[in-house]
Amino acid sequence: GASGPQHIPIGWDRWMGLVGNSKYYDYNVSNQGVSEHHGNDYGNDYFTDLIANTSVEFIHQTTTEHPGKPFLLVAATPAPHGPFTPAPQYAHVYDGYNAPRTPNWNYHDDDKHWLVRSQPQMTESRINGSDMTFRHRWETILSIDDLVGNVFEALEKAGVL
């Protein structure tokens, strides 16, 4: 079958999808079968916000042009997956927080599964990296919270909730 940015899956009236995987800036989307490049400008290009804005526009357009008709919106973000790039307003919200140190955190013993046993104890550098990843994941989730709030507000405004 067809693949690449020109492909629009059967059954979709409106299609926009990320070409590739887990990017927040400097990416391409398939927008109605046309490859569209986005750069590094937060206001225009932060992918989670682009999905939010496109979703709100879709709700408004669909409920205006087809009042009372059911519709499906799928809004799938790469957040909170790597590279864990938070929006600028959330970049340092969780500074000082660390990954939870549960009793099994960085614990190695013979009673563990062989995959866990095969990993070395975390060094200070790996612990710092783990904590940074933990913080950045939380910070990217804040943009998902914004997306959900904006979509909910658009659905309320359209009178479809």
Side-chain angles (χ1 to χ4, degrees):
S3 62
Q6 70 279 0
H7 178 69
I8 300 173
I10 295 171
W12 292 89
D13 298 320
R14 176 75 179 93
W15 174 258
M16 185 182 85
L18 180 63
V19 177
N21 191 18
S22 292
K23 300 274 277 192
Y24 297 83
Y25 291 106
D26 197 24
Y27 57 86
N28 291 313
V29 294
S30 170
N31 190 351
Q32 289 299 95
V34 176
S35 183
E36 180 180 285
H37 182 73
H38 289 264
N40 294 301
D41 176 60
Y42 168 71
N44 296 310
D45 301 318
Y46 188 70
F47 191 49
T48 304
D49 290 355
L50 177 69
I51 293 170
N53 297 336
T54 303
S55 298
V56 168
E57 289 169 12
F58 172 80
I59 292 165
H60 174 73
Q61 181 180 3
T62 300
T63 57
T64 301
E65 293 176 4
H66 308 286
K69 296 278 187 177
F71 62 90
L72 170 70
L73 168 69
V74 177
T77 71
H81 301 289
F84 320 111
T85 308
Q89 69 271 27
Y90 299 130
H92 298 286
V93 169
Y94 293 110
D95 282 1
Y97 286 80
N98 292 321
R101 303 309 201 250
T102 61
N104 63 346
W105 186 84
N106 203 20
Y107 173 78
H108 288 69
D109 204 347
D110 291 339
D111 66 341
K112 296 294 181 188
H113 186 277
W114 71 269
L115 283 173
V116 175
R117 287 192 322 261
S118 69
Q119 299 299 312
Q121 290 246 222
M122 291 173 54
T123 63
E124 192 66 31
S125 175
R126 287 185 69 199
I127 289 169
N128 290 337
S130 175
D131 290 336
M132 183 185 68
T133 296
F134 176 80
R135 288 188 293 273
H136 288 280
R137 280 183 174 158
W138 276 20
E139 291 164 352
T140 63
I141 289 171
L142 294 172
S143 291
I144 297 172
D145 288 345
D146 293 343
L147 180 154
V148 171
N150 291 341
V151 166
F152 185 84
E153 184 178 297
L155 292 169
E156 273 190 327
K157 186 176 180 182
V160 295
L161 285 182

